[in-house]
Amino acid sequence: MAARAPHGTNQPPKIIVKKIYIEGHGGHHGGAWKVAYADFVTAMMAFFLLLWIVGATTEKQRKGIADYFAPTILNTRSLGIGGGGLFGGESILDKNRIGPKPGQTSMAQLAIPDAGLGGPSAGTGSKGSLKNRTAMTKEDQKNFQALRRRVLGEMSGNARMSRLQSHVRFVPTQDGMRIDLVDDANYSMFASGTTALDPEAAALIGMIAGSVRGMQNPIMIRGHTDSVPYGDPRAMNNWMLSSGRAEATRRRLLAGGTPERSFERIEGVADREPLIINDPADPRNRRVAITLLYRRGTFGK
């Protein structure tokens, strides 16, 4: 800063230099409070999260969470894990104390199944999808025979249905129980060349629907025709007719109370699988096959 020179003199002005020292406030402690505050906020967030979990879960869920973070120590003696001696192994010289044969492996094992046979029953209960396949097959066969007796009994007690007994066949197959609804020269389940059910045939299929309503077996329907051709196969042919009659049968079963999820396959095979092999044009080759399939006993099969 330059001071004003005295009047009447030629002396140069005096220059005064003022130095200002800026001292640091806080030094290296200037940001420490931020870290402490962040730790506090994190702890509070964890605390409120814990309160929310305690309030929003059941006692069983809270026990599961607690066991996850503090697993229960296994009681090897009560669970049958390890040897039965004083030291848990087979002798005091064994280093591996886990397993019935600790000296034969370098890896500790928690448990070894008895002869690898598993438990006394297969599956996950009476309604599970992992059940003994043989037992399920026998149960299905028993239900199929009960179904056969029930349907034939109802037909015998109905004067209108009794005359159709010769058109109904129950055939055991490797896939399940097949119910064939067969035509002959005197009677046809469908109007000639159409997918329209005869009233008595519709009543018969409705009776079958009532009998299979409570069963859990998948259902396959297959339509068959004879070999009599159409005039113009581009407009209508036996492939279309057989598949259309199978679909008409499915709709009638559905209307009779059969669950939609029960239908697994609907198909028409025209005259490719004749019942009377020596005479493909025989009217008995016209039929609809309703097959109750065996229930699946394992996943994916």
Side-chain angles (χ1 to χ4, degrees):
M1 179 181 297
R4 181 177 298 177
H7 294 286
T9 66
N10 293 324
Q11 295 179 358
K14 294 180 179 180
I15 299 174
I16 301 174
V17 178
K18 184 178 180 181
K19 295 183 179 180
I20 301 175
Y21 295 95
I22 301 176
E23 297 182 358
H25 296 281
H28 62 280
H29 297 290
W33 68 273
K34 298 179 181 178
V35 178
Y37 180 72
D39 291 341
F40 172 75
V41 172
T42 303
M44 291 299 296
M45 182 176 66
F47 176 69
F48 285 119
L49 180 61
L50 176 62
L51 293 179
W52 177 81
I53 291 176
V54 171
T57 56
T58 63
E59 180 65 26
K60 184 177 181 180
Q61 291 172 332
R62 288 194 292 271
K63 185 178 183 303
I65 296 173
D67 290 341
Y68 176 81
F69 289 101
T72 304
I73 298 177
L74 293 176
N75 186 340
T76 58
R77 186 174 299 277
S78 63
L79 294 178
I81 302 175
L86 178 62
F87 296 93
E90 292 185 339
S91 71
I92 61 175
L93 300 178
D94 291 329
K95 296 181 180 180
N96 189 348
R97 303 300 184 194
I98 303 177
K101 297 292 182 181
Q104 297 182 0
T105 177
S106 59
M107 181 179 296
Q109 301 178 17
L110 288 178
I112 298 178
D114 183 16
L117 298 178
S121 60
T124 57
S126 60
K127 295 185 179 180
S129 56
L130 283 176
K131 296 195 295 184
N132 189 300
R133 184 108 183 222
T134 303
M136 289 182 62
T137 300
K138 291 182 179 179
E139 183 181 352
D140 285 340
Q141 291 173 348
K142 182 179 179 180
N143 293 336
F144 293 157
Q145 293 302 320
L147 168 68
R148 178 179 180 274
R149 291 191 297 268
R150 184 163 58 249
V151 172
L152 293 179
E154 291 182 7
M155 293 183 69
S156 299
N158 189 320
R160 181 184 177 190
M161 295 286 101
S162 60
R163 76 181 192 91
L164 296 182
Q165 286 191 4
S166 60
H167 296 271
V168 182
R169 301 179 182 180
F170 294 85
V171 183
T173 69
Q174 62 179 2
D175 298 319
M177 170 69 77
R178 191 181 74 232
I179 307 174
D180 289 332
L181 308 180
V182 186
D183 290 355
D184 61 16
N186 299 319
Y187 177 77
S188 177
M189 298 283 177
F190 294 86
S192 179
T194 72
T195 60
L197 274 167
D198 179 79
E200 292 183 352
L204 173 61
I205 297 175
M207 181 186 299
I208 296 174
S211 298
V212 304
R213 185 181 307 162
M215 302 179 68
Q216 300 178 359
N217 301 84
I219 297 176
M220 178 179 67
I221 304 176
R222 178 176 293 176
H224 301 262
T225 67
D226 55 27
S227 62
V228 177
Y230 279 83
D232 185 2
R234 295 172 299 179
M236 188 64 175
N237 56 61
N238 285 328
W239 290 104
M240 299 168 63
L241 183 62
S242 61
S243 59
R245 288 180 172 179
E247 169 58 18
T249 303
R250 185 199 69 84
R251 291 197 301 267
R252 182 64 187 91
L253 287 173
L254 183 65
T258 304
E260 171 62 32
R261 63 180 180 276
S262 298
F263 299 107
E264 181 165 299
R265 184 180 304 172
I266 311 297
E267 59 188 11
V269 295
D271 59 343
R272 296 302 190 265
E273 298 179 4
L275 184 64
I276 311 300
I277 299 176
N278 297 330
D279 187 5
D282 192 298
R284 288 173 291 179
N285 290 322
R286 301 193 305 264
R287 66 196 190 278
V288 173
I290 304 171
T291 303
L292 298 177
L293 303 172
Y294 289 120
R295 289 173 294 172
R296 297 178 178 86
T298 58
F299 282 119
K301 294 183 181 181

